[in-house]
Coordinates of all heavy atoms in Angstrom, one line a residue:
V525 N -0.5 6.4 26.7 CA 0.6 5.5 26.9 C 1.8 6.4 27.5 O 2.6 5.9 28.2 CB 1.1 4.7 25.7 CG1 2.3 3.9 26.0 CG2 -0.1 3.9 25.3
A526 N 1.9 7.7 27.0 CA 3.0 8.6 27.6 C 2.8 8.7 29.1 O 3.8 8.8 29.8 CB 2.9 9.9 26.9
Y527 N 1.6 8.6 29.6 CA 1.4 8.7 31.0 C 2.0 7.5 31.8 O 2.2 7.5 33.0 CB -0.1 8.8 31.4 CG -0.7 10.3 31.4 CD1 -0.3 11.2 30.5 CD2 -1.5 10.7 32.5 CE1 -0.7 12.5 30.6 CE2 -2.0 11.9 32.6 CZ -1.7 12.9 31.7 OH -2.1 14.1 31.8
A528 N 2.2 6.4 31.1 CA 2.8 5.2 31.8 C 4.2 5.5 32.2 O 4.7 4.7 33.1 CB 2.7 4.0 30.8
T529 N 4.8 6.5 31.7 CA 6.1 6.9 32.2 C 6.2 7.2 33.7 O 7.2 6.9 34.4 CB 6.6 8.2 31.4 OG1 6.5 7.9 30.0 CG2 8.0 8.5 31.8
F530 N 5.1 7.7 34.2 CA 5.1 8.0 35.7 C 5.1 6.8 36.6 O 6.0 6.6 37.4 CB 3.9 8.9 36.0 CG 3.8 10.2 35.2 CD1 2.8 10.5 34.4 CD2 4.9 11.1 35.4 CE1 2.7 11.7 33.7 CE2 4.9 12.3 34.7 CZ 3.9 12.6 33.8
P531 N 4.1 5.8 36.4 CA 4.2 4.6 37.3 C 5.4 3.7 36.9 O 5.8 2.9 37.7 CB 2.9 4.0 37.0 CG 2.5 4.4 35.7 CD 2.9 5.8 35.6
N532 N 6.0 3.9 35.7 CA 7.2 3.2 35.4 C 8.5 3.9 35.9 O 9.7 3.5 35.6 CB 7.3 3.1 33.8 CG 6.4 2.1 33.3 OD1 6.0 1.0 34.0 ND2 6.0 2.2 32.1
L533 N 8.3 4.8 36.8 CA 9.5 5.5 37.4 C 10.4 6.2 36.4 O 11.6 6.1 36.5 CB 10.2 4.6 38.3 CG 9.5 4.3 39.7 CD1 10.4 3.4 40.5 CD2 9.1 5.5 40.4
G534 N 9.7 6.8 35.4 CA 10.5 7.6 34.4 C 10.9 6.8 33.2 O 11.5 7.5 32.3
M535 N 10.5 5.6 33.0 CA 10.8 4.8 31.8 C 9.7 4.9 30.9 O 8.6 4.5 31.1 CB 11.2 3.4 32.2 CG 12.4 3.2 33.1 SD 13.9 3.8 32.6 CE 14.2 2.7 31.2
A536 N 10.0 5.4 29.7 CA 8.9 5.6 28.6 C 8.9 4.3 27.8 O 9.8 3.7 27.5 CB 9.3 6.8 27.7
V537 N 7.6 3.9 27.5 CA 7.3 2.7 26.7 C 6.7 3.0 25.4 O 6.1 4.1 25.2 CB 6.5 1.7 27.5 CG1 7.3 1.2 28.7 CG2 5.2 2.4 27.9
T538 N 6.6 2.1 24.5 CA 6.0 2.3 23.2 C 4.7 1.7 23.1 O 4.6 0.4 23.5 CB 6.9 1.7 22.1 OG1 8.2 2.3 22.2 CG2 6.3 2.0 20.7
P539 N 3.7 2.3 22.6 CA 2.3 1.6 22.6 C 2.4 0.5 21.5 O 3.0 0.7 20.4 CB 1.3 2.7 22.1 CG 2.2 3.8 21.6 CD 3.5 3.7 22.3
H540 N 1.9 -0.7 21.8 CA 1.9 -1.8 20.8 C 0.7 -2.7 21.0 O 0.3 -2.8 22.1 CB 3.2 -2.5 20.9 CG 3.5 -3.1 22.2 ND1 3.9 -2.4 23.3 CD2 3.2 -4.4 22.6 CE1 4.0 -3.2 24.4 NE2 3.6 -4.4 24.0
A541 N 0.3 -3.2 19.9 CA -0.9 -4.1 19.9 C -0.4 -5.6 19.8 O -1.0 -6.5 20.3 CB -1.9 -3.8 18.9
I542 N 0.7 -5.8 19.2 CA 1.2 -7.1 18.8 C 2.1 -7.7 19.9 O 3.1 -7.0 20.2 CB 1.9 -7.2 17.4 CG1 0.9 -6.7 16.4 CG2 2.4 -8.5 17.2 CD1 1.4 -6.6 15.0
L543 N 1.8 -8.9 20.4 CA 2.7 -9.6 21.4 C 3.5 -10.6 20.7 O 4.7 -10.9 21.0 CB 1.9 -10.2 22.5 CG 1.1 -9.2 23.4 CD1 0.4 -10.0 24.5 CD2 2.0 -8.2 24.0
E544 N 2.9 -11.2 19.7 CA 3.6 -12.4 19.1 C 3.1 -12.6 17.6 O 2.0 -12.5 17.4 CB 3.3 -13.7 20.0 CG 4.0 -14.9 19.5 CD 3.6 -16.1 20.4 OE1 2.5 -16.7 20.3 OE2 4.4 -16.5 21.3
V545 N 4.1 -13.0 16.8 CA 3.7 -13.3 15.4 C 4.2 -14.7 15.0 O 5.3 -15.1 15.3 CB 4.4 -12.3 14.4 CG1 4.0 -12.6 13.0 CG2 3.9 -10.9 14.7
R546 N 3.2 -15.5 14.5 CA 3.6 -16.8 14.1 C 3.2 -17.0 12.6 O 2.3 -16.4 12.1 CB 2.8 -17.9 14.9 CG 3.3 -18.0 16.4 CD 2.4 -18.9 17.2 NE 2.8 -19.0 18.6 CZ 3.6 -19.9 19.1 NH1 4.0 -20.9 18.3 NH2 3.8 -19.9 20.4
T547 N 3.9 -17.9 11.9 CA 3.6 -18.3 10.6 C 2.4 -19.3 10.6 O 2.0 -19.6 11.6 CB 4.8 -18.9 9.9 OG1 5.0 -20.2 10.5 CG2 6.0 -18.1 9.9
G548 N 1.9 -19.6 9.4 CA 0.8 -20.5 9.3 C 1.1 -21.8 9.8 O 0.2 -22.6 10.3
L549 N 2.5 -22.3 9.9 CA 2.7 -23.5 10.4 C 3.1 -23.5 11.9 O 3.5 -24.4 12.5 CB 4.1 -24.0 9.7 CG 3.8 -24.4 8.2 CD1 5.2 -24.7 7.6 CD2 2.8 -25.4 8.1
G550 N 2.9 -22.3 12.5 CA 3.1 -22.2 13.9 C 4.5 -21.7 14.5 O 4.7 -21.6 15.6

Side-chain angles (χ1 to χ4, degrees):
V525 177
Y527 268 47
T529 306
F530 300 121
N532 284 333
L533 289 180
M535 301 300 293
V537 295
T538 303
H540 59 278
I542 298 174
L543 296 182
E544 183 181 78
V545 178
R546 293 176 180 258
T547 64
L549 294 177

